[in-house]
Amino acid sequence: MDTVYKALADPSRRKILEILKDGDMTVNEIGRHFPFSGATLSHHLDTLKRANLVVAQRQGQYIEYSLNTSVFEEVVKALIGLFGKE
Amino acid sequence: MDTVYKALADPSRRKILEILKDGDMTVNEIGRHFPFSGATLSHHLDTLKRANLVVAQRQGQYIEYSLNTSVFEEVVKALIGLFGKE
DNA sequence: TAGATATTTAGAATATCATCTAAATGATAC
DNA sequence: GTATCATTTAGATGATATTCTAAATATCTA
């Protein structure tokens, strides 16, 4: 779970998650929303991937990223557990 | 909200939150659960305070820290918003 | 196969973070 | 008020993170 919290600590990565809520996207499409280089974006995507928050799948020449929604529920539960009183 | 995510990124700070679920505590009492110096603990507490996750109140010679539970609900909502599909 | 596009990897620069020791501040008790 | 205990602040150090450019890898098309 540590990798998840670390991944969420950066605002650009959180924005990537927001963007992916609109649907799967290639790295290039995601990159249009950011000022930094492709290499930097690739690094952020790698961080999200390692945290299991996104999934990458090659589609021919492109690589499509999507939210790993199945993991999100666990994350929310963990957070509620962290905050909850019980 | 950025300060909140940043505050949660460190495992020691998350552990402090867990510990405070058992009730309010002085800095010294919290410190017993950690190997690092009081100065370092103070820094972590400051980070949590700035994120509005804990509240400090002087009780004579001591300072008691407590969870700022009223904020936790907002935080969970923000997180669910980040992950949610709608 | 060569050239073009998409993405990642390598290596380096700068910024931020966690931690330390030492010094400062606040409160109590004698 | 001086000594003592609790906590914070200052300043420094080493580790980690974000970012860059350049080079490498993968795929497609002609």
Side-chain angles (χ1 to χ4, degrees), chain A residues 2-10 13 16-17 40-54 65:
Chain A
D2 195 56
T3 52
V4 174
Y5 287 109
K6 287 257 169 62
L8 293 175
D10 183 82
R13 286 193 291 266
I16 291 172
L17 296 176
T40 295
L41 177 57
S42 186
H43 162 69
H44 283 311
L45 289 171
D46 187 56
T47 302
L48 290 169
K49 216 174 358 180
R50 286 177 196 279
N52 246 314
L53 292 168
V54 302
Y65 277 81

Side-chain angles (χ1 to χ4, degrees), chain B residues 66-84:
Chain B
S66 43
L67 290 180
N68 188 7
T69 47
S70 66
V71 166
F72 283 175
E73 206 179 324
E74 291 176 39
V75 175
V76 172
K77 274 185 196 155
L79 290 160
I80 290 174
L82 181 60
F83 298 152

Side-chain angles (χ1 to χ4, degrees), chain A residues 7-74:
Chain A
L8 293 175
D10 183 82
S12 296
R13 286 193 291 266
R14 293 198 301 276
K15 189 173 167 188
I16 291 172
L17 296 176
E18 294 275 3
I19 288 169
L20 286 177
K21 288 205 290 185
D22 289 343
D24 302 358
M25 279 185 211
T26 68
V27 178
N28 240 317
E29 286 168 337
I30 297 169
R32 292 202 195 102
H33 299 80
F34 297 96
F36 44 62
S37 72
T40 295
L41 177 57
S42 186
H43 162 69
H44 283 311
L45 289 171
D46 187 56
T47 302
L48 290 169
K49 216 174 358 180
R50 286 177 196 279
N52 246 314
L53 292 168
V54 302
V55 174
Q57 194 179 16
R58 185 171 278 278
Q59 300 282 7
Q61 194 174 3
Y62 306 85
I63 296 182
E64 272 209 340
Y65 277 81
S66 42
L67 290 180
N68 189 7
T69 46
S70 67
V71 166
F72 283 175
E73 206 179 325
E74 291 176 40

Side-chain angles (χ1 to χ4, degrees), chain B residues 37-52:
Chain B
S37 73
T40 296
L41 178 56
S42 186
H43 162 69
H44 283 311
L45 289 171
D46 187 56
T47 302
L48 291 169
K49 216 173 358 178
R50 286 176 195 279
N52 246 312

Side-chain angles (χ1 to χ4, degrees), chain B residues 6 10 13 35-37 39-40 43-44 58 60-61:
Chain B
K6 288 257 168 64
D10 183 83
R13 286 192 292 266
F36 44 63
S37 73
T40 296
H43 162 69
H44 283 311
R58 186 171 278 277
Q61 195 174 4

